[in-house]
Amino acid sequence: MLATTPTPSHDSLRRSTCRSRCRGRGSWSRSTTGPDRAVAKERSPPRPRRVADVIEALEPFRVELTGYCYRMLGSGFEAEDAVQETLVRAWKAFDSYDSARASLRTWLYRIATNICIDMRRSAQRRALAVDLGPAGGQLGAPLLENAFVQPVPDSVVLPEDQAIRRETVRLAFVAALQHLPARQRAVLILRDVLAWQASEVAALLSVSVASANSALQRARATLRVVDAGTPLDVSDPVQKSLLRRYCEAFERHDVRTLVALLHEDATMSMPPFSWWLRGRGPISLALSDPNAACAGAWLVPVSANASPAFWQMRPGLDRPFGLVFLDVRGGLVTGTTTYLNVEELLPLFGSPMSSGRPLRISSDD
């Protein structure tokens, strides 16, 4: 959200967290990366006369597969890599696909699930800052990107033509999913998010229906004791009014009003730093610090993680300062998370359009 003392420089973040990667989103000519564990004996790519037909058959699944892999992995970057690997493997093995044994969707999800499980075998669990240690303390050094659940644009993970539960890509929910073992995570996403039948999930994972149901029950039990947050009700006029008043107070740098809109146990964090605060008092002190440097800043709405999200813009910067997420509950803001790894996020989100004037949320939004 708002910077605190000391304000981290973008140069330090670039040195510590930015990765030089050519993602080649949507490119079928890209060489594959990651674990080389094929789901079927790898064959030569389809003959040139069939390549266009195969790509046409596979490409429509890209967004929904990215949403699935994002929930599995907690990173839009890794999700895109996993989906690219899935589609390339499917393209190479397309001649072995048997529609009598499984639908094309089921076959692709099986490949994607195996890739995601392999990617998480030796990786640490991604989390939010509030899960990494106690509140307060010094800002410290930035952590690596893979320490945190990362944000993602709605358009990358939410298909427009499917009634998928949008709230299941919220940062808190995705962070909660990371507490589950990979197979339990897959079962819960497939059953409770994508509404697959138990028999379909069992077939995908090559287990019995009883085993799939048992994994689902264990996953649900874990999520009941992990705080997955509260979804935004976009039809609730109270929540809409809250967001409007928050953005207006932010534009005025009205710390008193901002703090009044916070829940008494609200949290504030700034990935890639593990530092975070809890409570109106500590947050008020941080926002009132003369070095906070938020005077003149404004918020530009962005569609991300099916949540209230904004680019924080500052005078004199040729790019956003951070990507801000608000958690709301009961007419108050319960948490603010500001991602400062902007250089990494911009290739995924695209640069916001800005005329240098504050962009407000109207009461009709």
Side-chain angles (χ1 to χ4, degrees), residues 169-243:
V169 295
R170 292 179 300 110
L171 290 169
F173 186 82
V174 174
L177 288 174
Q178 307 311 302
H179 287 267
L180 302 174
R183 285 186 172 272
Q184 287 186 27
R185 197 181 315 161
V187 170
L188 186 132
I189 296 169
L190 293 168
R191 290 293 311 279
D192 288 356
V193 176
L194 303 179
W196 284 37
Q197 298 296 316
S199 58
E200 295 173 319
V201 175
L204 182 145
L205 294 175
S206 301
V207 299
S208 67
V209 172
S211 294
N213 285 335
S214 176
L216 178 62
Q217 295 307 315
R218 293 196 301 273
R220 287 173 174 171
T222 299
L223 288 194
R224 281 195 290 269
V225 298
V226 177
D227 184 9
T230 302
L232 175 71
D233 183 355
V234 294
S235 64
D236 184 352
V238 174
Q239 294 191 5
K240 292 168 63 177
S241 174
L242 171 65
L243 295 177

Side-chain angles (χ1 to χ4, degrees), residues 128-330:
L128 300 178
V130 296
D131 298 321
L132 296 177
Q138 299 297 314
L139 186 66
L143 303 183
L144 296 177
E145 177 271 344
N146 61 9
F148 298 95
V149 171
Q150 294 291 325
V152 70
D154 287 348
S155 60
V156 172
V157 294
L158 293 173
E160 296 180 357
D161 59 344
Q162 295 183 23
I164 291 177
R165 293 172 53 192
R166 292 175 52 85
E167 72 273 14
T168 60
V169 295
R170 292 179 300 110
L171 290 169
F173 186 82
V174 174
L177 288 174
Q178 307 311 302
H179 287 267
L180 302 174
R183 285 186 172 272
Q184 287 186 27
R185 197 181 315 161
V187 170
L188 186 132
I189 296 169
L190 293 168
R191 290 293 311 279
D192 288 356
V193 176
L194 303 179
W196 284 37
Q197 298 296 316
S199 58
E200 295 173 319
V201 175
L204 182 145
L205 294 175
S206 301
V207 299
S208 67
V209 172
S211 294
N213 285 335
S214 176
L216 178 62
Q217 295 307 315
R218 293 196 301 273
R220 287 173 174 171
T222 299
L223 288 194
R224 281 195 290 269
V225 298
V226 177
D227 184 9
T230 302
L232 175 71
D233 183 355
V234 294
S235 64
D236 184 352
V238 174
Q239 294 191 5
K240 292 168 63 177
S241 174
L242 171 65
L243 295 177
R244 184 181 69 255
R245 287 182 290 144
Y246 186 94
C247 290
E248 290 173 349
F250 183 93
E251 176 188 332
R252 299 192 305 268
H253 194 47
D254 182 349
V255 174
R256 178 174 296 182
T257 299
L258 286 171
V259 173
L261 295 175
L262 298 177
H263 188 275
E264 61 181 356
D265 290 324
T267 62
M268 182 174 78
S269 62
M270 299 191 307
F273 297 93
S274 61
W275 171 94
W276 64 285
L277 297 174
R278 182 186 294 278
R280 286 174 176 164
I283 293 176
S284 177
L285 289 175
L287 300 184
S288 301
D289 190 287
N291 294 319
C294 282
W298 67 98
L299 300 175
V300 177
V302 58
S303 296
N305 291 85
S307 300
F310 309 87
W311 288 115
Q312 184 189 137
M313 312 298 294
R314 291 189 175 186
L317 293 182
D318 59 359
R319 62 181 179 182
F321 176 79
L323 180 58
V324 182
F325 286 86
L326 302 181
D327 295 317
V328 299
R329 180 187 299 166

